[in-house]
Amino acid sequence: MAIVNVYRSCDVFNVFLGWLPGPVGRLPIGATPPDGPTGLYLIDSLVTGDLATFRTAATHLLLPMVAIGFPAVSPILRLTRNATLSVLNSDYIAFGRAAGLRGVPLYLKYVLRNALPGAVTMTGLIAGYMIGGAVLVERVFSWPGVGLYGFNSLVNTDYPAIQAYVLLSAVTYTVVFLAVDLVQSVIDPRVRLK
């Protein structure tokens, strides 16, 4: 539901304002993709020195990025804000200020380090939403990718392809949670790996 609402709000930039291109794929219809080894238009256009194609590919990338990222960022920002306010009102921050700590050292070493663990965990949880959201975003914006492949295999009832997509999503989610655990062990010394 949130993806649909963001897609409708992205229409403002496309239809009404005309600032960004519509959902026609990675390049405009009839445009020649850059020659390159990766198949990623941004990288290939930079490698070949074609800055006009780079700019076009970048503008076609903005709306899908907003559609998948904007709903995912708001809970992380809200959690980080609430955790930061809670840490700022704690006794050890008041003691640090009384001891003369001010500015960047106080915020980086004590406030942010104690406020980040919840936000890192929330980021891992939202990764599952983003994997599912990628299916819708790739379908709506006509982007070829794993999400569109999974959607097309579901429509065509291609069971081995559906199983492969679900397995890839599960492995990706597991790797994301492994990365979250590793980052948590760096941020919070109480959860160090032994």
Side-chain angles (χ1 to χ4, degrees), residues 138-156:
E138 288 178 10
R139 175 75 177 133
V140 166
F141 289 99
S142 303
W143 276 72
V146 177
L148 187 61
Y149 177 75
F151 177 82
N152 288 337
S153 59
L154 186 65
V155 168
N156 296 328

Side-chain angles (χ1 to χ4, degrees), residues 10 15 17 20 28 34 63 66 71 76 86 124 139 153 155 157 161 164 175-176 182 192:
C10 288
V15 176
L17 297 175
L20 296 173
L63 284 179
V66 168
I76 297 170
S86 174
R139 175 75 177 133
S153 59
V155 168
T157 60
V175 168
V176 165
L182 293 176
R192 292 282 159 99

Side-chain angles (χ1 to χ4, degrees), residues 4 6 19 24-25 27 41 49 66 71-72 83 85 113 117 122 125 129 134 141 144 146 159 166 175 181 186 192:
V4 173
V6 170
W19 291 350
V24 294
L27 287 176
Y41 292 170
V66 168
L85 291 176
R113 190 168 187 163
M122 179 65 82
L125 291 172
Y129 162 80
F141 289 99
V146 177
Y159 293 118
V166 169
V175 168
D181 286 344
V186 170
R192 292 282 159 99

